[in-house]
Amino acid sequence: MKRGLEGATPVRFNAAGWYRGELRREILRLKLNQDLSVLKAITFALRRTLPAKALLVPIPSWKTQKRANPLPALICQSLGRTTKTLLKRCRPTVGQHHLSRRQRLVNMQSAFAIDPDQRSWCVSETPIWIVDDILTSGATAREALNTLKSAGFGVRGLICLGRTP
């Protein structure tokens, strides 16, 4: 794979590959063992798709810190770009694994806010890329993107490890 996957639906995205087979198994393993060397290998092609001055914004987890998905922050680390935790969860949501696309969209409505500690940090010409592990319906990415854009940030798209077929 030279450049991974790129697409515009449901949001503009760059992914390492389709979320199936070996990539799916590796992503699931990474959630447990957090091997940065494996993650760097998976994100190698993604690194080349990002502008040098890209600002990465990881999607925050809805779970407590102890149970939170570590991958968005680790993906940012492996990509070697400036990272800011501009987003925070402002209300609890349910896990989306078994929800339909419509249920996911409703579930994510107003789920994010700009972290007040980060609100003053804004460089309008800095291209922002949202970072998550898997892109499925796009509900989470869309809500994060809308929250950032409403606050005046210029979001270019989403970087993720896997895109569901």
Side-chain angles (χ1 to χ4, degrees), residues 78-148:
S78 75
L79 290 169
R81 299 291 193 279
T82 303
T83 301
K84 291 284 182 184
T85 53
L86 298 176
L87 293 170
K88 68 172 191 149
R89 294 282 179 149
C90 59
R91 68 171 185 78
T93 57
V94 297
Q96 301 201 120
H97 185 69
H98 298 291
L99 299 181
S100 69
R101 184 177 190 284
R102 186 172 191 286
Q103 290 170 322
R104 288 172 184 233
L105 291 168
V106 170
N107 184 45
M108 292 310 300
Q109 285 179 344
S110 304
F112 297 112
I114 301 299
D115 186 329
D117 296 335
Q118 302 291 329
R119 186 171 285 283
S120 64
W121 197 97
C122 181
V123 178
S124 60
E125 63 274 355
T126 301
I128 291 180
W129 289 83
I130 299 166
V131 180
D132 206 359
D133 55 347
I134 302 161
L135 174 62
T136 303
S137 69
T140 304
R142 278 190 180 155
E143 193 60 35
L145 182 135
N146 290 339
T147 300
L148 289 163

Side-chain angles (χ1 to χ4, degrees), residues 52-92:
K53 293 185 178 183
L55 174 68
L56 304 180
V57 176
I59 297 279
S61 180
W62 58 273
K63 296 179 182 177
T64 62
Q65 184 66 27
K66 188 176 180 181
R67 295 179 48 228
N69 178 1
L71 288 181
L74 288 172
I75 294 165
C76 291
Q77 186 179 348
S78 75
L79 290 169
R81 299 291 193 279
T82 303
T83 301
K84 291 284 182 184
T85 53
L86 298 176
L87 293 170
K88 68 172 191 149
R89 294 282 179 149
C90 59
R91 68 171 185 78

Side-chain angles (χ1 to χ4, degrees), residues 5 10-11 13-20 23-31 39 46 59 69 71-72 75 89 96-97 104 130-142 158-165:
L5 297 174
V11 296
F13 72 90
N14 290 359
W18 292 107
Y19 184 65
R20 62 182 176 207
L23 180 60
R24 181 180 181 276
R25 285 187 290 279
E26 285 303 323
I27 291 170
L28 293 172
R29 272 194 284 263
L30 281 166
K31 286 184 179 183
L39 192 53
L46 291 174
I59 297 279
N69 178 1
L71 288 181
I75 294 165
R89 294 282 179 149
Q96 301 201 120
H97 185 69
R104 288 172 184 233
I130 299 166
V131 180
D132 206 359
D133 55 347
I134 302 161
L135 174 62
T136 303
S137 69
T140 304
R142 278 190 180 155
L158 171 81
I159 292 287
C160 59
L161 297 180
R163 169 71 167 112
T164 57

